[in-house]
Amino acid sequence: MTQLIQSEPEFYQGQFGDFTITESDRTGVIIYRAGLAVAALSFAVGTWLVLSLGDTPGVMRMLTLLYAVFSLALGVSLVTIHIYLAALHRTLQLFWIIGSLAAIVLALSSNESLALSVYNHPMTLFGVGFTFAALTGIYFKEAFCFNRLETKFLTPLVPMLLLGHLTGLLPMIGEQLLLGIWAILFVVFALRKVMQPIPPDIGDKSVFTYLKEKRTAHS
């Protein structure tokens, strides 16, 4: 009779006690990284199209589709990311929801494509920009937790580009340069996440347990 051989769970020493990493934990990390990879690829393809082919009608239609894929993939990553501070986690998710709703309303109400609407009317960044604020939150978390060089650049680069466009202080060549750097570093970040061992992305589960018990005790 064939017997199913199950691997012994791995025990880790956490700040507040021992913990184990389950297959569900590993699956969550894989989904988080897959979401980042899809978002990075969509963003990079969109950037390449607009920088190489310009604002042709076909490119603008493709950008709307790519942005939808990017936003959905980012939303998946924001659901499965491991962040110790629950309030920060919920804030990033709320930012994504606000940005997504703003993009949907803008896409349905404007006579222009989504990309042109945002580019020609910078004030729309007060809505759509929340999505990129959520993405910047991920960059910051990765820079803080893993000391990643590319995310140290991405964390200030994204608000610099958005604020530069919002205020009109950045010339077009400057915006194109920053956009290209953003796309390249985003892909580098996503690729490096794929190669990173899984347990560090799960973090110290004893901290999550401690914080959850603390919230329960104060509720």
Side-chain angles (χ1 to χ4, degrees):
M1 182 175 63
T2 303
Q3 294 182 338
L4 296 177
I5 302 176
Q6 295 182 340
S7 59
E8 292 293 327
E10 294 181 78
F11 286 86
Y12 296 84
Q13 177 63 48
Q15 184 177 351
F16 298 98
D18 294 340
F19 64 92
T20 61
I21 291 180
T22 66
E23 284 303 312
S24 177
D25 294 326
R26 294 179 179 275
T27 300
V29 171
I30 292 171
I31 294 173
Y32 164 65
R33 295 178 180 180
L36 287 178
V38 172
L41 180 60
S42 302
F43 189 85
V45 171
T47 300
W48 175 79
L49 285 173
V50 75
L51 292 182
S52 61
L53 301 180
D55 58 350
T56 65
V59 168
M60 291 299 103
R61 287 193 296 271
M62 183 61 68
L63 284 182
T64 300
L65 176 60
L66 287 170
Y67 184 83
V69 174
F70 157 81
S71 184
L72 286 172
L74 179 61
V76 169
S77 291
L78 286 168
V79 169
T80 51
I81 190 174
H82 287 76
I83 299 178
Y84 292 129
L85 298 177
L88 176 59
H89 193 178
R90 287 194 294 269
T91 298
L92 294 182
Q93 291 173 336
L94 178 61
F95 280 3
W96 177 83
I97 291 173
I98 294 172
S100 299
L101 290 176
I104 292 172
V105 170
L106 187 60
L108 294 177
S109 62
S110 177
N111 293 325
E112 300 175 300
S113 67
L114 178 61
L116 282 179
S117 294
V118 174
Y119 184 81
N120 292 331
H121 308 283
M123 295 297 288
T124 57
L125 288 173
F126 282 110
V128 179
F130 275 93
T131 295
F132 299 107
L135 178 59
T136 304
I138 292 180
Y139 293 152
F140 177 80
K141 180 261 184 185
E142 292 284 342
F144 181 81
C145 294
F146 300 112
N147 200 30
R148 292 196 176 280
L149 181 61
E150 65 273 15
T151 52
K152 289 182 178 181
F153 282 103
L154 286 166
T155 300
L157 185 151
V158 175
M160 186 186 304
L161 173 57
L162 298 184
L163 289 174
H165 182 67
L166 182 63
T167 59
L169 295 177
L170 271 178
M172 181 180 294
I173 186 65
E175 292 185 353
Q176 292 175 339
L177 178 62
L178 290 180
L179 183 62
I181 294 174
W182 179 0
I184 292 171
L185 292 181
F186 195 0
V187 171
V188 170
F189 164 54
L191 288 176
R192 291 188 67 195
K193 288 301 294 182
V194 171
M195 297 182 287
Q196 179 183 343
I198 287 180
D201 252 345
I202 296 171
D204 185 345
K205 289 178 65 177
S206 72
V207 174
F208 287 105
T209 301
Y210 170 77
L211 293 175
K212 182 178 180 180
E213 292 174 349
K214 190 175 180 180
R215 289 195 301 271
T216 302
H218 284 80
S219 61

